[in-house]
């Protein structure tokens, strides 16, 4: 047993650069200085953990690493359960079936990935059992146990049992083969394609550890705007190496498939899904992929959207396209995740209606290994959107959720915006499709329509940044996504607190200060970006900063004016029956919430209504005044965040403290820019003064319109 | 005093992922387990280190970090020298001028950056003094002292005094503003331009620490193929933030200037250096830069080369162009580094002659704040080149060296190639320009022609890779460059050993195994890539892998066939009087070494001569057989490297062990590919069999010719 002790001293108020903060994410096992450490030592005296697989091996390794870091010792390793304080870990098959173990087994849900953690009094031999039906369940149980220790929880009377509510919990990497990342703000792609398959970057393993620790069990390696090269032997061999590294952590590899691959690679004349040669090509290609990756997860496909090829190129529909690939994958157990984020080639009356219009008629037409991937809202990952009307609207199809972790429309990696609340808001929204309490979560977890396959996707926010996500707090969005993917009903506040404790330790005053800041942060961003249901106001193309003035692009629905429709007569997109009638895509109970501007919640007011500037808000003020107050309040809230953070100086690592201090200062500037640009822009139409007591914008509107940003990342 | 103790256990043969290896470079202060630790404790009992500047602050911080990590304790901090075991650090101005301090001061060279380290017996108060004329000298002294500890050197009788032999020791980053890096193989640019100036990535500080620790005192932030945007206020503000971070570490910021900036940014009609409006524009632009960066170092310029604009566009010469910028910089103390790596627009008779032909006639025409930056060899950073004929040939001009750390032609970040030997080979080459012992080093350090300004540049191999350089051993090239920049006469072997000790510890058997491997590694690469003076055989454009068949490109001198000239009658580039006569650019003593193929060293044979396949080598074999043996031997040597490395498994961090194991396996494949591709290609012309005893290539030539590499990094 080799032991290396690194002593790091932050001496005399001088800062030391070690460790490089953030790389270890929420798995930085710093020593606990807690009263419970003694309890932990008595309950983790010996360890019985039979290793029968690579998954067992990595789970045991993680546990020992955690114990050593958190508690500073290693338990005695043994293969016999005797004496008190045994930690017993395994499956019913791997463990001796003592009565105690059977008791734990009895608590275990019937699910491949389930685990139970039980404190068992025993006959003079109190012990703790972590049991799973499979080694993957054991792995999740081990991570859950580590989390208990990190959060200083009492482990003397544990009775936990958990199974994931969603089967396929995947990250979508919009990573290109040249290592750029579309909408990536944390550096570049983690995948060093050039040096794969030979060079196995140690970071791949740490990526797998982080994902496994929050229950993510799949990853789509390449961008949905896919390059067909990904499906060639050279790249499949590379992907196979990643799959080999991820496999012990319970993570399957998926690939984005370019629909025209039979033409691009196979030399066929078309990629028509009804062409037998095309079907044959995919069948052979899929068989080839499974030779490289025996447990390959399947394909993610973006087709007939933003210029990507698809079945409509050949007069077929999305079901034809998805089923083509599904048939090829079926014999191997693979699935197709088919995105519903589509465009017609022609300009729509209301882009918000498109996915529903195209997919609703196809309900029931998809094969049973196809699942339709629907973004959380009907436009495109805006700071706030109502839930997507497809949720609940396709009872005979399998639907999955697509969230975006990378902050494309939420300030990139410079804005502190905790997305747990955004995700949860959508998941808890009630579609009423099957009566009250038909929440989006219940659609996604399959409990509404009994769909056999369930899935959820998050567009990853990871990159080559040392701390993975660019902004230290953006780690919490990766974390929250994993936790909500496992349990869409989980509480965003609990998740945020868990993340804070695992990241910054268990100082109560720090949690009390930072938790409310995180929980408020998304509403803050909505306020200074797109309050009152406004949306799609961002800068052209790169989506950085405000651009309410964006007009005259290739398509009207790529401009801002299309969405806010500000004019002398008012602002907002009328989606009621008097307008685009997008509201009709929701069931009556939902429509009733939104269709009357007098009762529509402020959060969605201008999403559904076009209203005059002097519209009388529920608060009594005019719409114009309310709009201004939201923008100004949002910017002020960032100043509040700065003050909250500044007070934590002595409680967090000095490097992270400085990083977040820097980033909040940037965020404050960005919030002011959003505020001033939008207020000045809309004021042209309202012709009303900025309400008393609010400071004047620093610059005239032209200044903001003329700001140029070069080499904005993520494109 | 806060103390954080991280206990890392590699338990039971299971590997732990912490720490993420390599980030800390040679500054990873792991505990010393050496007999000398006791000596260190008695000699570093108290610390007297007055802090009067930011540079003092960071030097003291680094020392305390190192002592804590290496020795596990902090000395008592005091401002009085009393008792034995005092470590006294400062300048003559900051320290009490006791006799002991005066003694140390007496040893101090007269140079701003010099330091002396002296053990002083004293009257009952033996102590150690680290003294510099400036705080920068102190900083270098502190790093030198830390290095002594890391390498377990006796510190009881120290009498060191050091001053750098070259004044400006800079890195050239070929980093683009979109964060791609031309010829970058370690990920992407360290500079997160988008989040500058607000977000100060902690990595910037660690970059500065690493450079300061090896004496680098300048950095050119952007690519020589420059974007004029770099000179706009938005980017100058970003560069200024980097300059602020680097300044305490004695590092100045320089920028690559696009010669056409007066047109691109200033709206002028031309950038003619004799146009007063152009002169005025540069004068104002430079004044503006100095408002952002008061100690701005100056410009690096690539002009009239590979499509870059330059003075020749207006019928002026390189001196006109360089002097234009020099005049603008002069009042502020800035310098111009003007690259001699130039092309004529027309195809040259011999590209090797171009720089000399263009620059030699300009000798004496450059202003005194211009220094001409010359690559080590006359072609372009090939695995082996003779020294550049300009060295020593411009006695009335200031010349500096440009080395390439990034392995553009040496296998990128997959090949273990220690470049200290390559750099040293050039620096020790004798130009004979001022008689015997007119080494390139003595040209560079100014001792030959008494040039007042001296400089050296290294094209950086750093990037976003966690370990900075992609290949763990590529760190040694950054390290060696810094050490040779400080002292061009330093021994490459000593430097390699120092790096090994600081990186892997002081295990004697490990040093004995790895040092010869490193020292041999560059010759190994030459053998399997370009033996016997061959050059420029690499793949098209991306420069990855072999491409001796490259022909028919825009310019003949961008092809391989132009350089090897293989045909039925032989192989090699005749640069004697019967050929291009490039040899005439060297003085007679040098010519004499090379002009007779019977006596020309094998290393340069085909660089200077075109010889028949059956040419009789000094070894007695034919040229063809010798060529084959070099290629095969090179590939075999990589197998030897694998064996040497495999034997170190228990002696190095398990993550680095696995990384290097992976990379050596890739290198072995690449070496075989080079070998087989080149031998098969040349065999077409030699019509001779591969010598007995050598295995047959695995594939036919067509296989190698048809290999395609997509998205090769670094372009």
């Amino acid at each position: 047993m080799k032991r290396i002790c690194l002593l790091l001293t932050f001496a005399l108020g001088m800062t030391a650069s070690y460790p490089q903060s953030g790389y270890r994410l929420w798995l930085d096992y710093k020593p606990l200085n807690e009263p419970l450490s003694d309890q932990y030592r008595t309950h983790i005296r010996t360890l019985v953990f039979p290793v029968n697989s690579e998954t067992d091996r990595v789970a045991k390794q993680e546990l020992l690493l955690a114990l050593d870091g958190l508690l500073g010792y290693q338990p005695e390793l043994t293969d016999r359960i005797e004496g008190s304080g045994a930690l017993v870990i395994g499956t019913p098959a791997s463990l001796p079936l003592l009565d105690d173990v059977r008791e734990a087994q009895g608590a275990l849900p019937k699910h491949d990935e389930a685990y139970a953690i039980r404190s068992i009094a025993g006959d003079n031999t109190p012990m703790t059992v972590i049991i799973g039906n499979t080694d993957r369940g054991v792995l999740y149980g081990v991570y859950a146990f580590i989390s208990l220790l990190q959060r200083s929880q009492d482990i003397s009377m544990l009775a936990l049992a958990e199974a994931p509510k969603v089967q396929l919990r995947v990250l979508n990497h919009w990573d290109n083969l040249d290592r750029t990342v579309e909408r990536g703000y944390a550096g570049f792609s983690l995948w060093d394609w050039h040096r794969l398959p030979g060079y196995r970057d140690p970071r791949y393993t740490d990526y797998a550890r982080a994902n496994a620790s929050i229950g993510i069990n799949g990853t789509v390696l390449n961008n949905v705007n896919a390059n067909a090269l990904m499906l060639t032997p050279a790249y499949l061999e590379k992907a196979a190496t990643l799959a080999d590294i991820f496999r012990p952590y319970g993570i399957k590899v998926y690939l984005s498939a370019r629909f025209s691959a039979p033409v691009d690679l196979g030399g066929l004349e078309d990629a028509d899904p009804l062409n037998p040669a095309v079907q044959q090509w995919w069948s052979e290609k899929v068989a080839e992929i499974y030779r490289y990756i025996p447990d390959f997860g399947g394909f993610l496909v973006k087709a007939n959207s933003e210029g990507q090829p698809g079945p409509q190129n050949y007069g077929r529909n999305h079901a034809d396209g998805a089923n083509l690939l599904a048939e090829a994958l079926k014999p191997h157990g693979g699935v197709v995740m088919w995105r519903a984020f589509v465009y017609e080639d022609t300009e729509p009356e209301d882009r918000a209606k498109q996915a529903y219009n195209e997919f609703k008629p196809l309900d029931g037409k998809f094969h049973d290994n196809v699942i339709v991937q629907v973004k959380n809202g009907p436009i495109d990952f805006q700071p706030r959107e109502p839930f997507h009307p497809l949720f609940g609207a396709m009872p005979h199809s399998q639907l999955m959720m697509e969230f975006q972790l990378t902050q494309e429309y939420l300030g990139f990696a410079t804005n502190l915006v905790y997305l747990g609340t955004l995700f949860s808001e959508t998941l808890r929204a009630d579609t009423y499709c099957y009566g009250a309490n038909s929440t989006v979560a219940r659609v996604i977890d399959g409990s509404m329509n009994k769909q056999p396959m369930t899935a959820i996707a998050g567009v990853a926010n990871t990159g080559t940044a040392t701390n993975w996500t660019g902004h230290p707090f953006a780690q919490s969005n990766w974390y929250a996504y994993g936790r909500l993917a496992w349990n869409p009903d989980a509480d965003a506040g609990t998740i945020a607190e868990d993340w804070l404790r695992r990241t910054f330790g268990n100082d109560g005053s720090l949690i009390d200060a930072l938790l409310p800041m995180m929980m408020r942060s998304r509403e803050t961003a909505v306020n200074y970006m797109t309050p009152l249901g406004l949306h799609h106001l961002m800068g052209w193309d790169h989506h950085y900063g405000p651009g309410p003035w964006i007009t005259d692009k290739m398509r009207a629905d790529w401009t801002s004016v299309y969405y806010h429709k500000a004019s002398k007569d008012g602002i907002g997109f009328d989606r009621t029956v008097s307008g685009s009638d997008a509201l009709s895509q929701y069931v009556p109970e939902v429509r009733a919430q939104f269709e009357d501007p007098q009762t529509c919640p402020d959060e969605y007011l201008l999403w559904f209504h076009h209203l005059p500037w002097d519209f009388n808000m529920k608060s009594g003020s005019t719409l114009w005044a309310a709009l201004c107050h939201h923008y100004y309040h949002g910017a002020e809230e960032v100043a509040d965040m700065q003050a909250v953070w500044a007070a934590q100086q002595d409680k967090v690592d000095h490097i992270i403290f400085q990083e977040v201090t820097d980033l909040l200062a940037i965020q404050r500037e960005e919030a002011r820019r959003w505020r001033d640009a939008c207020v000045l822009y809309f004021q042209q139409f309202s012709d009303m003064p900025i309400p008393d007591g609010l400071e004047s914008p620093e610059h005239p509107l032209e200044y903001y319109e003329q700001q140029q940003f070069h080499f904005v990342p993520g494109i």
Side-chain angles (χ1 to χ4, degrees), chain A:
Chain A
M1 187 146 110
K2 285 193 286 181
R3 204 171 257 266
I4 295 176
C5 177
L6 294 179
L7 290 169
L8 303 177
T9 300
F10 301 86
L12 304 158
M14 305 190 80
T15 55
S17 285
Y18 297 159
Q20 173 64 17
S21 301
Y23 180 82
R24 296 181 186 178
L25 299 160
W26 48 88
L27 301 177
D28 188 8
Y29 303 126
K30 285 180 285 207
L32 289 171
N33 289 314
E34 304 291 334
L36 282 170
S37 288
D38 288 343
Q39 186 200 68
Y40 294 168
R41 283 163 203 269
T42 54
H43 280 81
I44 314 171
R45 214 181 40 73
T46 65
L47 176 64
V48 180
F49 192 163
V51 170
N52 296 308
S53 70
E54 273 296 292
T55 298
D56 289 338
R57 191 185 65 77
V58 300
K60 189 170 187 173
Q61 172 185 315
E62 188 78 31
L63 179 65
L64 293 174
L65 184 72
L67 293 177
D68 195 56
L70 295 168
L71 307 177
Y73 80 100
Q74 295 283 304
E76 182 193 337
L77 302 187
T78 171
D79 54 8
R80 295 183 56 189
I81 304 173
E82 57 185 3
S84 67
L87 177 57
V88 179
I89 304 178
T91 63
S94 76
L95 292 176
L97 286 180
L98 308 181
D99 288 347
D100 297 343
V101 172
R102 279 188 212 278
E103 182 185 332
Q105 185 184 354
L108 194 52
K110 301 220 177 312
H111 190 292
D112 268 4
E113 295 175 308
Y115 63 85
I117 308 179
R118 304 283 284 196
S119 300
I120 294 174
D123 304 333
N124 301 320
T125 57
M127 65 177 179
T128 308
V129 178
I130 303 176
I131 192 165
N133 294 308
T134 67
D135 53 4
R136 283 173 295 137
V138 170
L139 177 70
Y140 292 135
V142 165
Y143 275 117
F145 185 74
I146 291 170
S147 169
L148 293 171
L149 305 182
Q150 288 179 291
R151 293 180 290 114
S152 274
Q153 301 294 297
D154 186 334
I155 62 164
S156 65
M157 293 183 298
L158 295 172
L160 300 176
E162 280 269 350
K165 291 188 179 173
V166 177
Q167 288 163 14
L168 309 179
R169 306 174 297 276
V170 306
L171 285 179
N172 289 0
H173 289 275
W174 288 359
D175 291 20
N176 301 312
L177 300 185
D178 64 359
R179 295 191 77 178
T180 57
V181 180
E182 186 168 327
R183 313 308 175 187
Y185 312 110
F188 292 79
S189 175
L190 295 170
W191 323 133
D192 184 359
W193 292 117
H194 176 64
R195 293 201 288 174
L196 281 167
Y199 174 62
R200 290 164 291 177
D201 189 329
R203 197 157 190 166
Y204 304 147
T205 302
D206 290 322
Y207 167 86
R209 291 174 54 230
N211 280 320
S213 76
I214 52 176
I216 290 171
N217 66 2
T219 181
V220 186
L221 299 176
N222 59 320
N223 192 356
V224 289
N225 292 320
N227 187 322
L229 276 177
M230 190 68 236
L231 302 179
T232 58
Y235 280 88
L236 291 174
E237 192 184 356
K238 297 168 194 282
T241 291
L242 292 175
D244 290 344
I245 295 169
F246 300 161
R247 189 171 296 110
Y249 295 91
I251 296 166
K252 281 189 181 182
V253 157
Y254 300 69
L255 296 175
S256 289
R258 187 167 166 87
F259 197 79
S260 58
V263 178
D264 305 334
L265 303 179
L268 299 191
E269 288 188 7
D270 62 58
D272 183 344
L274 302 194
N275 176 350
V278 171
Q279 294 164 357
Q280 178 69 16
W281 189 87
W282 279 111
S283 171
E284 289 171 8
K285 177 54 69 180
V286 166
E288 181 187 9
I289 294 173
Y290 277 90
R291 286 195 294 276
Y292 284 99
I293 308 171
D295 56 352
F296 177 62
F299 291 135
L300 170 64
V301 186
K302 172 176 179 174
N304 293 122
S305 173
E306 300 183 316
Q308 292 298 304
Q312 293 176 349
N313 299 26
Y314 309 100
R316 317 301 180 190
N317 64 34
H318 284 288
D320 296 328
N323 293 340
L324 163 73
L325 301 177
E327 278 181 31
L329 288 158
K330 183 76 177 175
H332 309 279
V335 306
V336 175
M337 296 170 172
W338 191 270
R339 291 175 94 234
F341 178 73
V342 294
Y343 279 37
E344 285 165 17
D345 283 340
T346 55
E347 202 171 284
E349 39 155 4
D350 181 357
R351 179 169 150 199
K353 294 170 69 176
Q354 284 214 255
Y356 183 98
N357 286 346
E358 290 202 41
F359 278 81
K360 169 79 176 166
L362 299 175
D363 186 26
K365 301 275 200 291
F366 294 96
H367 284 5
D368 65 1
N369 60 332
V370 174
I371 189 161
V372 177
Q373 180 167 320
V374 182
K375 289 188 179 181
N376 58 295
I379 298 292
D380 189 14
F381 299 137
Q382 291 301 296
R384 170 168 279 124
E385 300 193 27
F387 72 86
H388 200 296
L390 274 176
F391 290 116
M394 295 181 68
H396 307 296
S397 303
Q398 301 182 111
L399 256 57
M400 64 182 284
M401 172 66 76
E402 178 175 324
F403 283 130
Q404 190 183 47
L405 285 55
T406 189
Q407 295 171 227
E408 176 178 358
Y409 300 103
L410 283 155
F412 296 9
T414 59
N415 283 207
L416 191 167
V417 183
Y418 172 57
L419 297 177
T421 49
L422 186 159
F423 302 155
S424 225
E425 180 176 283
T426 301
L427 291 166
R428 292 178 175 216
D430 198 337
T431 71
Y432 286 94
C433 285
Y434 303 78
N437 196 28
S438 303
T439 62
V440 172
R442 299 187 70 207
V443 174
I444 294 307
D445 72 15
S447 56
M448 291 277 57
N449 69 344
K450 313 296 177 206
Q451 67 183 54
M453 178 166 59
T454 57
I456 185 166
V459 180
N461 62 350
T462 51
T464 51
T466 310
N467 68 8
W468 299 84
T469 55
H471 196 307
F473 275 78
Q475 295 181 353
S476 70
N477 294 330
W478 184 6
Y479 184 84
Y481 166 70
R483 293 281 302 271
L484 285 164
W486 179 278
N487 177 9
D489 297 314
D491 178 69
T494 304
I495 294 170
E497 179 175 343
D498 288 358
W499 178 80
L500 281 169
R501 289 181 181 277
R502 298 177 76 173
T503 302
F504 293 111
N506 293 296
D507 181 307
S509 67
L510 178 136
I511 306 293
D512 289 346
L514 297 186
L515 182 56
M517 180 183 83
M518 285 178 72
M519 291 301 287
R520 178 76 195 155
S521 60
R522 181 266 188 138
E523 200 64 43
T524 296
V526 169
N527 278 335
Y528 63 72
M529 289 178 171
T530 54
L532 295 176
L534 288 172
H535 49 286
H536 208 291
L537 302 185
M538 66 285 172
W540 169 243
D541 194 21
H542 49 61
H543 300 173
Y544 180 68
W549 47 76
I550 301 296
T551 185
D552 286 335
K553 298 297 176 185
M554 306 78 137
R555 298 172 58 117
D557 55 338
W558 284 357
T559 69
S560 300
V561 297
Y562 172 91
Y563 292 99
H564 63 66
K565 301 200 187 299
S567 67
K568 296 287 180 193
D569 74 352
I571 182 172
F573 198 127
D574 183 1
R575 291 191 169 106
T576 67
V577 65
S578 62
S580 79
D581 203 21
L583 201 43
S584 69
Q585 294 181 339
Y586 296 95
V587 301
E589 292 89 334
V590 177
R591 286 209 294 273
Q593 295 168 31
F594 297 127
E595 65 191 356
D596 180 354
Q598 300 299 336
T599 55
C600 177
D602 282 1
E603 288 82 353
Y604 300 106
L605 191 63
L606 301 178
W607 185 281
F608 288 115
H609 300 281
H610 186 81
L611 299 172
W613 294 102
D614 61 358
F615 176 78
N616 193 29
M617 302 289 288
K618 294 181 215 53
S619 66
S621 73
T622 63
L623 171 57
W624 166 250
L627 189 67
C628 290
H629 278 291
H630 274 281
Y631 273 112
Y632 277 80
H633 186 52
E636 278 159 32
E637 285 179 294
V638 180
D640 297 342
M641 291 164 75
Q642 290 182 292
V644 168
W645 182 253
Q648 311 310 314
Q649 177 152 21
D650 296 336
K651 296 173 191 162
V652 298
D653 175 279
H654 72 282
I655 290 178
I656 290 194
F657 179 78
Q658 188 57 53
E659 286 184 271
V660 176
T661 299
D662 281 1
L663 291 165
L664 284 171
I666 295 175
Q667 185 173 357
R668 188 169 188 188
E669 286 306 306
E670 291 179 0
R672 281 200 189 119
R673 187 163 67 238
W674 270 97
R675 179 195 76 182
D676 294 349
C678 291
V679 166
L680 288 170
Y681 174 81
F682 291 131
Q683 193 180 29
Q684 300 177 106
F685 305 104
S686 79
D687 260 344
M688 297 162 85
I690 293 171
D692 287 348
L694 302 182
E695 63 181 347
S696 293
E698 198 180 341
H699 304 282
L701 178 59
E702 295 66 35
Y703 169 87
Y704 300 101
E705 288 180 338
Q706 286 163 16
Q707 276 197 302
Q708 276 192 302
F709 301 97
H710 301 283
F711 304 114
V712 175
I715 298 176

